[in-house]
């Protein structure tokens, strides 16, 4: 799996320190890249982001940023700035490693929260990109390891078609953040990264599965989750394969892919649920779901489907959800009915159930 965590934060900070130390003797008062900050102010921003992300997680902030900031001491120079980046990077990496699964803290983009992996990915992105901004102004090379760029793209930019070759991951990340150009793609003047969505559903939380986690599930891994015995079921792995293929083809739409069903009480994953793609031209999206055998018969799927459907039907582009179920699969049909779906005309050999907004 394209891992993202404390190790990747440390790797990004080590890369930044190496790049920036090569420019210690240069003039850090010049403006960094396309920013309004000087190089020294940009370094202060990197350190500020790293410690702020750590503070969000340790403070379990839910509604806003924890109200503090850091500043370099008066007279601090480039070497001092690098040492602060190393120190604050160590804080974030330690916090990411020790934050329990399921903990989310406030971040505005795009749904108001992120988990520890999300904050690690944002920290890595801030370090790589702003190191580039400084290096560009000072005339030193700042190309980071390709695997780091690939991981940031897979965790934070699932809407961006991935690069075809390892040497292109950095150029793709620069394009995705408005810093570069790519053949056949218009230059971006606005951009946002995407933290995975989490939807509460009573005893279950629906956790959006990123392309990075989906690839691991499709290959037989756990996708970064702790699974109930016997899980994940075959349907979950097939759904993960669909997400992986859609991402590789450049057609994956965040939020319209796969969600893991995770028990709120113990953070154990019990199944998968999600969409076969975004709404079609009629505003209809197809939904699918399955549970590991050991989690069946407890109402988890009905609770999750009801919550996911309510969330989706509040979206303006969606008018109805469709579930297609084999006639012999009576438990899945009961799940749909309990989640307020109604029987519709059969589609070929499958029974159809609809829920409208």
């Amino acid at each position: 799996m394209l891992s993202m965590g404390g190790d990747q934060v440390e790797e990004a900070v080590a890369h930044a320190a190496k790049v920036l130390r090569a420019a210690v003797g240069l003039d850090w008062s010049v403006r960094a890249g396309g920013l309004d900050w000087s190089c020294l102010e940009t370094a202060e921003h990197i350190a500020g982001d790293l410690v702020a992300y750590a503070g969000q997680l340790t403070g379990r902030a839910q509604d806003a940023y924890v109200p503090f900031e850091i500043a370099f001491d008066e007279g601090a120079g480039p070497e001092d700035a690098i040492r602060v980046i190393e120190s604050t990077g160590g804080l974030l990496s330690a916090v990411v490693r020790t934050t329990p699964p399921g903990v989310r803290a406030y971040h505005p983009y795009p749904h108001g929260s992120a988990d520890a992996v999300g904050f690690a990915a944002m920290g890595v992105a801030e370090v790589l990109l702003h190191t580039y901004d400084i290096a560009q102004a000072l005339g030193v090379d700042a190309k980071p390891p390709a695997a780091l760029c690939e991981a940031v793209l897979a965790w934070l930019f699932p809407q961006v078609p991935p690069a075809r070759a390892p040497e292109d991951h950095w150029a793709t990340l620069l394009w995705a953040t408005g810093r570069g150009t790519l053949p056949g793609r218009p230059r971006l003047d606005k951009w946002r990264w995407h933290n995975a969505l989490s939807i509460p559903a009573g005893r279950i939380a629906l956790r959006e599965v990123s392309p990075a986690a989906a690839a691991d599930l499709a290959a037989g891994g756990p996708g970064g989750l702790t699974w109930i015995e016997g899980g994940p079921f075959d349907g979950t792995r097939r759904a993960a394969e669909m997400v992986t293929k859609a991402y590789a083809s450049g057609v994956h739409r965040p939020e319209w892919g796969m969600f893991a069903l995770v028990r709120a009480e113990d953070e154990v994953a019990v199944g998968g649920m999600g969409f076969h793609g975004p709404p079609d031209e009629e505003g209809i999206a197809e939904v699918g779901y399955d549970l590991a055998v050991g989690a069946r018969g407890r109402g988890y799927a009905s609770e999750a489907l009801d919550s996911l459907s309510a969330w989706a039907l509040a979206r303006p582009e969606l008018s109805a959800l469709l579930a297609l179920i084999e006639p012999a699969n009576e438990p899945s049909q009961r799940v749909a009915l309990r989640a307020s779906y109604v029987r519709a005309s059969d589609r070929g050999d499958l029974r159809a159930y609809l829920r409208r907004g």
Side-chain angles (χ1 to χ4, degrees):
M1 185 169 71
L2 289 170
S3 299
M4 182 56 69
D7 289 351
Q8 285 66 42
V9 173
E10 289 184 351
E11 185 179 2
V13 168
H15 161 76
K18 180 179 179 180
V19 169
L20 298 178
R21 282 200 168 97
V24 162
L26 302 177
D27 182 7
W28 285 45
S29 67
V30 300
R31 195 170 75 171
L35 307 178
D36 292 330
W37 303 317
S38 70
C39 292
L40 194 62
E41 289 169 334
T42 303
E44 187 176 61
H45 174 78
I46 295 172
D49 279 336
L50 292 170
V51 76
Y53 291 162
Q56 292 300 97
L57 285 169
T58 56
R60 306 293 194 261
Q62 296 301 307
D63 301 314
Y65 288 114
V66 177
F68 75 98
E69 60 182 4
I70 69 166
F72 293 162
D73 286 346
E74 185 176 354
E79 179 58 36
D80 301 310
I82 296 166
R83 290 173 57 201
V84 176
I85 290 172
E86 290 173 322
S87 297
T88 53
L91 290 174
L92 179 58
S93 65
V95 168
V96 166
R97 289 190 178 103
T98 55
T99 298
V103 168
R104 297 181 71 88
Y106 174 80
H107 190 280
Y109 308 126
H111 303 292
S113 70
D115 60 8
V117 170
F119 278 105
M122 290 187 288
V124 171
E126 295 281 1
V127 171
L128 298 185
L129 294 167
H130 288 313
T131 296
Y132 167 80
D133 294 332
I134 296 170
Q136 187 181 39
L138 300 179
V140 297
D141 179 56
K143 187 174 183 178
L148 268 184
C149 303
E150 184 181 11
V152 169
L153 287 164
W155 285 103
L156 284 185
F157 296 92
Q159 75 280 12
V160 173
R164 299 300 180 188
E167 60 269 20
D168 296 331
H169 293 311
W170 177 227
T172 302
L173 182 56
L174 291 177
W175 174 84
T177 56
R179 287 170 168 82
T181 59
L182 284 177
R185 302 188 196 180
R187 189 180 181 104
L188 300 180
D189 56 2
K190 295 181 180 179
W191 59 273
R192 286 279 184 251
W193 51 48
H194 178 88
N195 279 300
L197 173 64
S198 181
I199 302 173
R203 296 171 296 163
I204 294 293
L206 291 121
R207 303 273 170 73
E208 185 179 7
V209 176
S210 73
D216 187 62
L217 278 167
L225 298 163
T226 299
W227 286 88
I228 192 171
E229 185 177 355
F233 200 62
D234 291 344
T236 297
R237 294 206 187 275
R238 289 196 298 270
E241 186 176 356
M242 289 173 59
V243 171
T244 303
K245 289 180 177 178
Y247 176 63
S249 300
V251 298
H252 176 64
R253 282 272 303 278
E255 302 165 12
W256 295 106
M258 174 186 172
F259 293 77
L261 306 186
V262 179
R263 283 196 309 227
E265 63 178 357
D266 58 7
E267 287 298 311
V268 170
V270 298
M273 183 173 290
F275 309 101
H276 291 200
D280 62 19
E281 62 277 4
E282 297 179 0
I284 299 174
E286 185 178 345
V287 66
Y289 46 88
D290 75 353
L291 290 177
V293 174
R296 295 175 184 175
R298 305 180 190 182
Y300 292 149
S302 297
E303 292 178 20
L305 182 60
D306 184 53
S307 294
L308 180 64
S309 300
W311 172 86
L313 288 165
R315 302 288 295 270
E317 65 266 43
L318 185 73
S319 61
L321 287 168
L322 170 68
L324 297 177
I325 306 170
E326 294 181 356
N329 193 346
E330 294 182 0
S332 287
Q333 295 174 47
R334 290 194 293 269
V335 166
L337 291 170
R338 286 194 292 266
S340 301
Y341 284 67
V342 298
R343 182 75 184 274
S345 300
D346 289 354
R347 305 289 178 92
D349 295 332
L350 299 175
R351 293 187 176 174
Y353 293 81
L354 280 173
R355 176 166 164 172
R356 298 188 181 276

